[in-house]
Amino acid sequence: MRKNRNGVLIATVVLCTLMIGGCQTGSSGDGGNDDDVLRVAWWGGQERHTMTLEMIQLFEKKHPDITVEPEYTAWDNYWERLTTQAAGSNLPDVVQMDNSKLNEYISRSLIKDLSPFIDDGIIDLSNVDDAYQDINTVDNAVYGISLGSNALGVVYNQELFDEHGIELEDGYTYEDLKEKMRELGAAVGDGFYGYDLSSEFELFTVFARQSGESVFNEAGDGLGYTDETLIAFFQFVTEMLEEDLSPPHEITMEYIEGGESTIAGGLTGMGLIASNQIIGQQALTEEELSLSPLPALDGGVEGNWIRPSMSFSVTEHTNQEENAAVFIDFVTNDPEANEILQGERGVPISSEIRTHLEGKVSEEVEKTFGYLEFMAENSAPADPLPPPGESEVRGAFLRIIESVKYGQTSPEDATTQFRSEAESIIN
């Protein structure tokens, strides 16, 4: 059963309109002056905004000499805003950072190395395994502190699968996935498609790694996969659509553009997500959702990996670097702060915080904790950070795969076109 759309959208899906500038947390600012105002920026939906603002109020209560000025918005507006602020040398002191953007900000010398604050103990990572921070460390410099970890996974409608006796066995392959979707589709009936085929770039990233390759090469100056691998991936997508195992692209886009989920809406039964996104997906439906590993590639290798869902970085435009480090340490290690944040940004990186939160988070958050424990034993090392231009490469991929889905371009021609465009962007 799908939950009331309006209420859910307000709570979890509709992203907050731009609220940058003048967004105060209710702090009086007593005890602070201009030199103590810490600007903190993040992207997200309303649920994240509400939690983060409450956490900031707690921070200001525990650190009355520091006033936080929040700047928050949706994903797209966020990066446009930062670009404008960077051009004016006016970036916030602390910015929420995505892995795909990190190398770009490093290459433009816009963010600071945080290792001096870690060495001084201002940012305490003594309860953090190196695996949670590896991707934020480049040449021994630490450019971000993870706000939580996640991994790619498959969210599926547990009740629907149980009702029809469908089970994803350990180590299931892409061919097994298609067979299960045939069984599920036959059981549910007309108007139902098994697998949501959005998040195609993320799925190809795993597919390439399962083939022993990578989207980008290790040096970040070229592509790291063979054409045969991308052709095979495009053929898998084409077969899913031709057999009606996935919805036609135009129907999927209607859901995406409407801020809806094909799984919560009952159109599909499963699809790829970042593990922490099960929280938002579960909020959209009263039917129980669960997480499963991604399908394996027959004859391939492990392709999934644990990664920061997002990080906090300190910008080079700050004059508040020590206060920024104190704030990041608070988010990382304060038990009360993490009770408020509820692991919404991913599984906390501190083992003490994870232990503290046991029994204090929702059932779906507990599922993300369990999934990350599984992934810790069933994952491969992360690839190096993607090169600057990753966003443009991703955009080209999504545009080209759309033409494949519509049957306008063959897998072979699409592979040639993508390689040409991606190499032009990177070089």
Side-chain angles (χ1 to χ4, degrees):
M1 178 184 296
R2 187 171 60 178
K3 288 184 177 178
N4 178 279
R5 180 184 175 198
N6 291 335
V8 169
L9 288 179
I10 289 171
T12 62
V13 175
V14 174
L15 299 177
C16 182
T17 55
L18 192 65
M19 298 182 69
I20 295 174
C23 292
Q24 300 295 334
T25 66
S27 167
S28 66
D30 293 343
N33 54 52
D34 288 346
D35 291 336
D36 298 320
V37 175
L38 184 70
R39 294 167 57 207
V40 177
W42 71 89
W43 76 83
Q46 187 58 52
E47 186 177 24
R48 179 176 300 163
H49 299 330
T50 301
M51 290 176 174
T52 307
L53 291 173
E54 185 180 350
M55 178 272 292
I56 287 173
Q57 287 182 333
L58 177 66
F59 173 79
E60 291 178 326
K61 182 179 178 181
K62 293 190 175 185
H63 297 273
D65 56 330
I66 305 173
T67 298
V68 176
E69 184 176 288
E71 303 183 5
Y72 53 98
T73 183
W75 167 270
D76 290 338
N77 291 334
Y78 180 79
W79 297 107
E80 292 173 4
R81 177 79 178 187
L82 289 192
T83 298
T84 301
Q85 290 174 325
S89 300
N90 188 37
L91 281 168
D93 303 292
V94 178
V95 295
Q96 188 170 285
M97 180 60 61
D98 184 77
N99 297 335
S100 66
K101 303 285 187 180
L102 184 58
N103 224 345
E104 176 183 339
Y105 277 69
I106 295 172
S107 68
R108 296 168 62 191
S109 300
L110 291 174
I111 52 177
K112 285 183 173 296
D113 173 17
L114 299 178
S115 56
F117 302 104
I118 299 170
D119 294 341
D120 290 345
I122 299 175
I123 299 176
D124 181 8
L125 298 184
S126 58
N127 295 310
V128 177
D129 190 287
D130 289 345
Y132 292 100
Q133 274 290 111
D134 280 349
I135 203 167
N136 284 326
T137 304
V138 180
D139 297 332
N140 296 318
V142 180
Y143 290 104
I145 303 298
S146 173
L147 290 168
S149 295
N150 68 17
L152 296 174
V154 170
V155 61
Y156 66 101
N157 186 326
Q158 178 77 62
E159 290 187 26
L160 190 67
F161 276 55
D162 290 347
E163 177 183 351
H164 298 290
I166 307 295
E167 184 176 355
L168 296 170
E169 298 175 354
D170 291 345
Y172 74 101
T173 66
Y174 288 91
E175 288 302 314
D176 295 331
L177 171 67
K178 287 194 285 188
E179 182 57 34
K180 296 297 181 184
M181 294 303 95
R182 292 185 191 104
E183 294 176 15
L184 189 61
V188 177
D190 292 341
F192 176 82
Y193 304 86
Y195 187 87
D196 182 309
L197 255 183
S198 54
S199 304
E200 307 96 326
F201 188 74
E202 285 75 15
L203 186 56
F204 174 61
T205 299
V206 174
F207 193 87
R209 286 166 54 88
Q210 289 172 327
S211 303
E213 304 171 359
S214 58
V215 175
F216 302 103
N217 65 21
E218 188 167 349
D221 57 3
L223 300 173
Y225 64 86
T226 62
D227 286 348
E228 289 75 15
T229 296
L230 184 51
I231 290 171
F233 179 75
F234 283 149
Q235 288 173 337
F236 165 75
V237 170
T238 300
E239 291 164 5
M240 293 290 283
L241 291 166
E242 288 178 346
E243 286 197 56
D244 288 336
L245 304 179
S246 292
H249 185 61
E250 61 271 23
I251 295 179
T252 300
M253 291 308 298
E254 287 177 7
Y255 275 76
I256 292 174
E257 291 168 357
E260 298 185 78
S261 160
T262 64
I263 298 170
L267 184 72
T268 66
M270 62 188 300
L272 183 149
I273 61 168
S275 54
N276 62 310
Q277 291 177 327
I278 191 176
I279 301 167
Q281 290 278 336
Q282 186 63 76
L284 295 169
T285 178
E286 295 180 356
E287 297 189 6
E288 182 181 0
L289 305 180
S290 290
L291 282 168
S292 168
L294 298 171
L297 182 66
D298 193 18
V301 298
E302 179 59 64
N304 208 347
W305 72 104
I306 294 176
R307 59 186 186 172
S309 59
M310 58 202 78
S311 302
F312 267 154
S313 295
V314 178
T315 72
E316 288 286 356
H317 298 164
T318 186
N319 62 355
Q320 297 282 309
E321 54 190 38
E322 185 164 328
N323 285 344
V326 170
F327 179 78
I328 291 174
D329 179 74
F330 178 80
V331 176
T332 305
N333 293 305
D334 188 274
E336 290 182 80
N338 280 278
E339 285 182 33
I340 294 170
L341 295 174
Q342 285 286 297
E344 187 272 338
R345 285 178 168 88
V347 176
I349 62 174
S350 164
S351 58
E352 284 203 352
I353 294 299
R354 292 197 297 274
T355 300
H356 175 80
L357 291 179
E358 289 178 1
K360 297 184 177 69
V361 294
S362 66
E363 184 177 352
E364 50 270 22
V365 173
E366 293 276 9
K367 288 179 179 176
T368 68
F369 284 25
Y371 186 68
L372 262 290
E373 288 179 7
F374 171 82
M375 286 301 305
E377 304 296 328
N378 297 276
S379 59
D383 288 336
L385 288 170
E390 188 266 0
S391 297
E392 290 80 4
V393 172
R394 176 189 296 263
F397 185 90
L398 296 179
R399 176 168 40 77
I400 290 169
I401 198 172
E402 183 176 84
S403 69
V404 173
K405 287 180 169 182
Y406 281 130
Q408 298 166 341
T409 307
S410 70
E412 291 78 8
D413 289 346
T415 296
T416 301
Q417 182 182 348
F418 176 68
R419 177 171 293 280
S420 174
E421 292 193 24
E423 289 181 339
S424 176
I425 293 168
I426 296 171
N427 299 320

